[in-house]
Amino acid sequence: MRGAAVAATLLLLALASLARAERSSRLAPVPGGRLHAAAGGQKHALLIGVPSFQDRRWPALKHTVHDVELLAGAIEGFQVTRLTSQAATTRAGILAAVHALGRRPLRAEDTVLIYLSSHGSLGRRTPAEVRRYIVASDTRRDLVEQTGLAVDDLLALVNRIPSRRKALVFAFCHSGQGKSALGDELSRALAGRKSGFFVRPIEEASRALVILSAASWGEPALEDDRLRGDVYTHYLAEGIRKHDLNGDGAVTATEAHEYARERVYYHTRGLQRPSLELHVELSDPIVLRGRRARAGNPVLFSYAESSRGVRLFVDGRLKGSFPASFALPAEAVTLELRAASHALLYRGRASLRPGESLEVSRLIPPPRRLELYAELGYLHCLSPALAGEV
């Protein structure tokens, strides 16, 4: 029995150690956790509008300076840096401004917003690889790969910024239409292909970044003289001022985008559908205006491409289609998800808590699968007495 007593003692010691570890993890403040979220943080905005270009083959953009001022007036509590002259918006000038932002004494709970309004273009690093580029004021149309600012290079810089609350707003596209243009050589090469061309996804994004784009892939981003600006920026700024979707007192980047997405679609008669990429966990931490004064209504959301066309029914009534965010009542409701083909994906009762955000994919159970495990072990006891008892 002595061996059994030793084994029981070791088990109790292990359990006690686990209990101490659990208590300490509950008490320790975790960077980016609730304690830091409650404390808030500083807000920094870098707003870039490229009005004209040294290479006259790029059409001048009439409203980028107005777009910057419109957005600067809509956001609240930010230290704003503006780049709106041709001299300041060269490739080197834009990179220097992002570097300077990253050198500020930023903390995890600080918010960083970077907005770019210009042309977008495509370039080829290799014959098989097409990359997205931002057209700076000194970008040459025949040398986009050498003189343009690659989107993934910009993301690599943004990833080094220590804040865990970062938002990028791209008021341009890469479709060859609207606020986008392709070099002549690349246009001819792409036109000669029978199938779609391959563009690297924005996979370099960090896990603390929200990316708002004025248009989905292959669609134009448009300026409108009646609005005196970029269509998406106009409605994004309007959403920042008024669209507190869940009623918590603050307007986040996703809430403002949700407002702009629908209005841009109808304003352009379906030509332009703004897109959003979420690389954050749980709820959107990017507050652009106001302050969270209370727990808001629960939100069910998805911006994944796989959710496109999936319809949401709440208590039997159609709420809308994804990608989108929907505020729900803080009570038990029956949720139903149906594919565009009307196939039922999910039906069940759900009771979401105030302030809770739930991604749609968490409702849909994974497909069943059969898993087999095989284990082989060997036990050897150094003590003959313990070996006998075992």
Side-chain angles (χ1 to χ4, degrees):
M1 295 300 294
R2 183 173 56 196
V6 171
T9 301
L10 291 175
L11 178 60
L12 289 173
L13 289 174
L15 291 174
S17 176
L18 286 173
R20 286 195 300 272
E22 185 179 0
R23 284 196 299 271
S24 63
S25 67
R26 287 174 180 169
L27 295 174
V30 180
R34 293 182 178 178
L35 295 179
H36 284 262
Q42 295 184 348
K43 297 182 177 183
H44 305 265
L46 174 61
L47 309 182
I48 303 169
V50 186
S52 58
F53 306 87
Q54 296 175 18
D55 187 337
R56 297 299 179 87
R57 289 172 292 181
W58 299 112
L61 295 170
K62 295 184 289 184
H63 304 297
T64 53
V65 175
H66 176 265
D67 292 336
V68 165
E69 294 304 323
L70 184 67
L71 195 61
I75 58 179
E76 192 173 70
F78 283 79
Q79 300 177 37
V80 178
T81 300
R82 299 170 175 84
L83 299 184
T84 56
S85 68
Q86 187 183 98
T89 54
T90 62
R91 182 180 185 276
I94 293 172
L95 289 174
V98 178
H99 274 295
L101 182 60
R103 287 195 297 270
R104 295 182 186 181
L106 298 173
R107 301 167 296 170
E109 64 269 24
D110 292 339
T111 298
V112 172
L113 170 67
I114 300 177
Y115 168 86
L116 291 111
S117 180
S118 182
H119 285 295
S121 188
L122 297 174
R124 292 191 296 183
R125 178 189 288 176
T126 67
E129 182 184 8
V130 179
R131 302 176 75 191
R132 295 177 172 93
Y133 286 87
I134 303 162
V135 177
S137 63
D138 59 344
T139 298
R140 288 180 51 177
R141 187 158 178 170
D142 57 336
L143 293 173
V144 171
E145 297 87 345
Q146 290 77 34
T147 59
L149 176 56
V151 170
D152 49 352
D153 289 344
L154 174 65
L155 289 173
L157 280 180
V158 173
N159 285 342
R160 299 192 189 109
I161 297 175
S163 166
R164 297 187 72 247
R165 302 176 181 181
K166 294 174 285 192
L168 275 173
V169 182
F170 290 150
F172 52 81
C173 63
H174 300 95
S175 65
Q177 311 167 65
K179 294 174 66 177
S180 167
L182 308 181
D184 297 335
E185 184 272 336
L186 183 60
S187 296
R188 288 193 296 269
L190 295 179
R193 297 194 181 190
K194 294 182 179 180
S195 60
F197 49 92
F198 174 69
V199 179
R200 294 177 61 188
I202 303 180
E203 58 190 11
E204 295 83 2
S206 72
R207 298 302 302 173
L209 184 62
V210 175
I211 302 174
L212 311 180
S213 298
S216 297
W217 174 249
E219 298 174 350
L222 303 173
E223 285 191 315
D224 191 312
D225 289 340
R226 292 172 299 172
L227 300 178
R228 296 179 54 231
D230 173 82
V231 176
Y232 175 69
T233 304
H234 173 85
Y235 287 110
L236 182 71
E238 197 171 277
I240 292 172
R241 292 183 182 277
K242 64 172 65 172
H243 192 59
D244 180 8
L245 176 66
N246 66 350
D248 65 353
V251 178
T252 65
T254 54
E255 288 176 325
H257 172 84
E258 186 61 34
Y259 177 93
R261 183 183 64 86
E262 182 176 359
R263 283 156 181 80
V264 168
Y265 178 83
Y266 287 108
H267 185 97
T268 63
R269 298 184 179 182
L271 291 176
Q272 182 176 339
R273 295 176 300 169
S275 63
L276 181 149
E277 295 182 50
L278 281 174
H279 300 271
V280 295
E281 298 177 358
L282 304 177
S283 60
D284 174 12
I286 314 294
V287 174
L288 300 179
R289 189 179 182 92
R291 184 181 297 275
R292 287 190 172 104
R294 54 196 168 273
N297 291 325
V299 172
L300 184 65
F301 72 94
S302 178
Y303 292 94
E305 187 61 31
S306 58
S307 71
R308 184 170 297 278
V310 173
R311 295 180 298 163
L312 170 66
F313 294 82
V314 179
D315 289 334
R317 296 182 179 180
L318 178 63
K319 188 78 170 177
S321 300
F322 295 100
S325 294
F326 298 104
L328 302 176
E331 58 189 37
V333 293
T334 298
L335 300 179
E336 188 175 298
L337 299 173
R338 288 190 175 272
S341 62
H342 304 290
L344 180 64
L345 302 176
Y346 170 83
R347 180 190 288 130
R349 295 286 288 177
S351 182
L352 303 182
R353 298 183 299 274
E356 183 177 0
S357 295
L358 182 66
E359 212 280 332
V360 165
S361 63
R362 295 176 60 186
L363 290 176
I364 303 174
R368 296 181 179 179
R369 60 183 180 180
L370 179 64
E371 296 183 352
L372 299 177
Y373 294 92
E375 293 185 1
L376 179 65
Y378 173 73
L379 177 64
H380 175 71
C381 297
L382 297 177
S383 167
L386 182 59
E389 294 194 18
V390 172

